[in-house]
């Protein structure tokens, strides 16, 4: 018996990157995992890999920024399994980070598209999953934020605003439904090496993160998956409403620490 045996988990954006690793990690712990990604083909591949490893998963493709699709997704999950125990709000419109410079440079379309892609999905998935969790009297939600939502940056304006809002969504969910058994936390990674990293982080940006990280390396998707799995497990039963930085120590360091180390 794994620690998630008998639990049903929805992982949005579960077909790639961190979501893919979360799907594998929860399935390895015994959860039945719903890979809810708009990329249906990749979702099927991830599900096949989970099955090959002895896990239980299903691909239910959906664009989580579309309300009707989220409603249909949650209906489908409840019809199949009768419950939802875990929601990992991981999907985001990362392709827009490539056209998200400083405030004067961001178009209104990119700004709104980013909010739609990064914030509306977690809002809608939480809204539709909550009634099921409330009926069960229990549920754990993890929202994928970012260090970009915790400090000002020279670019990624819309992205940072969307992730700051995801952090507030996390607090609102935790505070409003905590007494009824729902826990909600956010994870805030700094750079993690996934397929999209190159779009917004050329080598110079990766080098800058490495210089300012306290660790001698950058993050990998599994580093995040382990923390998400912990947060949705019973081991984290006394943790809710918080943002957990998983950032190689970036936010622990004094802003001039890297300069001082190099002198
Ligand atoms: N990569 C990083 O350095 C980094 C750092 C901090 C936070 N994050 C956050 O972590 C999360 C995952 O990032 P990643 O790098 O693993 O991404 P990724 O691009 O590798 O995977 C994202 C997945 O989400 C899916 N997706 C996107 N929009 C969707 C939608 N509306 N509906 C359903 N599926 C959708 C994509 O098809 C893709 O499979 C995101 O929320 C991102 O903002 C990433």
């Amino acid at each position: 018996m794994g620690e998630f045996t008998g639990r049903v988990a929805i992982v949005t954006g579960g077909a790639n990157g961190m979501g893919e690793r979360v799907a594998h990690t929860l399935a390895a712990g015994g959860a039945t995992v719903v890979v809810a990604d708009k990329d249906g083909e990749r979702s099927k591949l991830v599900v096949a890999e989970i099955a090959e490893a002895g896990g239980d998963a299903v691909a239910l493709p959906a664009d989580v920024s579309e309300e009707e699709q989220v409603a249909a997704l949650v209906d489908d999950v409840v019809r199949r399994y009768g419950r939802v125990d875990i929601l990992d709000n991981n999907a985001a419109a990362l392709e827009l980070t490539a056209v998200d410079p400083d405030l004067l440079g961001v178009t209104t379309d990119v700004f709104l598209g980013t909010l739609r892609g990064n914030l509306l999905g977690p809002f809608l998935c939480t809204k539709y999953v909550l009634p099921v969790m409330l009926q069960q009297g229990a549920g754990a939600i993890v929202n994928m934020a970012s260090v970009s939502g915790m400090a000002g940056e020279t670019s990624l304006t819309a992205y940072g605003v969307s992730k700051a809002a995801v952090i507030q969504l996390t607090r609102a969910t935790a505070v409003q439904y905590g007494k009824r058994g729902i826990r909600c936390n956010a994870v805030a990674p700094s750079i993690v090496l996934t397929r999209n990293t190159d779009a917004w982080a050329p080598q110079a940006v990766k080098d800058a993160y490495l210089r300012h990280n306290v660790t001698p390396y950058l993050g990998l998707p599994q580093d995040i998956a382990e923390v998400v799995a912990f947060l949705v497990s019973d081991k984290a039963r006394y943790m809710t409403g918080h943002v957990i930085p998983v950032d190689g120590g970036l936010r622990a360091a004094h802003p001039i620490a890297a300069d001082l180390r190099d002198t």
Side-chain angles (χ1 to χ4, degrees):
M1 282 257 297
E3 64 179 331
F4 301 119
T5 299
R7 299 195 189 175
V8 175
I10 298 177
V11 180
T12 75
N16 280 290
M18 294 181 231
E20 178 179 351
R21 293 319 311 164
V22 170
H24 274 280
T25 305
L26 296 181
T32 295
V33 175
V34 176
V35 176
D37 197 294
K38 62 184 179 184
D39 184 341
E41 287 310 305
R42 274 280 320 161
S43 301
K44 280 191 232 155
L45 271 178
V46 171
V47 164
E49 284 166 9
I50 289 174
E52 211 171 300
D56 185 19
V58 64
L60 297 180
D63 180 338
V64 294
S65 58
E66 294 289 340
E67 185 157 6
E68 310 80 64
Q69 294 193 35
V70 173
L73 167 71
V74 175
D75 266 4
D76 197 355
V77 174
V78 171
R79 222 181 0 258
R80 283 166 188 257
Y81 305 112
R83 55 189 303 112
V84 182
D85 303 280
I86 294 165
L87 170 63
D88 179 29
N89 276 320
N90 163 81
L94 281 155
E95 63 281 4
L96 292 179
T97 54
V99 285
D100 186 6
D102 64 349
L103 193 142
L104 291 176
V106 185
T107 65
T108 306
D109 279 352
V110 167
F111 190 78
L112 289 176
T114 301
L115 290 184
R116 185 173 182 81
N118 299 2
L119 178 59
L120 196 58
F123 166 74
L124 290 172
C125 288
T126 302
K127 196 172 167 69
Y128 280 86
V129 157
L130 262 175
V132 185
M133 290 182 166
L134 288 171
Q135 205 168 23
Q136 296 164 185
I141 301 171
V142 170
N143 293 328
M144 191 57 78
S146 166
V147 292
S148 299
M150 302 171 84
E153 285 187 291
T154 52
S155 65
L156 296 179
T157 310
Y159 184 79
V161 169
S162 74
K163 292 300 186 179
V166 163
I167 289 172
Q168 189 58 15
L169 177 71
T170 302
R171 296 188 188 110
T173 306
V175 170
Q176 292 169 15
Y177 303 102
K179 291 288 188 205
R180 297 168 70 188
I182 311 301
R183 290 188 304 106
C184 181
N185 290 288
V187 170
S190 71
I191 193 169
V192 177
L193 301 174
T194 64
R195 65 182 185 144
N196 275 306
T197 316
D198 288 339
W200 63 270
Q203 194 55 44
V205 173
K206 290 184 190 136
D207 290 345
Y209 272 100
L210 198 50
R211 193 165 110 73
H212 288 275
N213 267 10
V214 172
T215 54
Y217 43 79
L218 300 177
L220 298 175
Q222 191 66 33
D223 296 324
I224 308 304
E226 297 294 344
V227 178
V228 172
F230 167 72
L231 287 172
V232 299
S233 78
D234 293 342
K235 292 176 197 146
R237 66 190 283 270
Y238 203 42
M239 290 176 73
T240 192
H242 289 296
V243 187
I244 317 301
V246 188
D247 64 354
L250 180 74
R251 286 182 54 79
H254 191 290
I256 65 167
D259 293 333
L260 294 178
R261 189 188 55 222
D262 291 349
T263 56

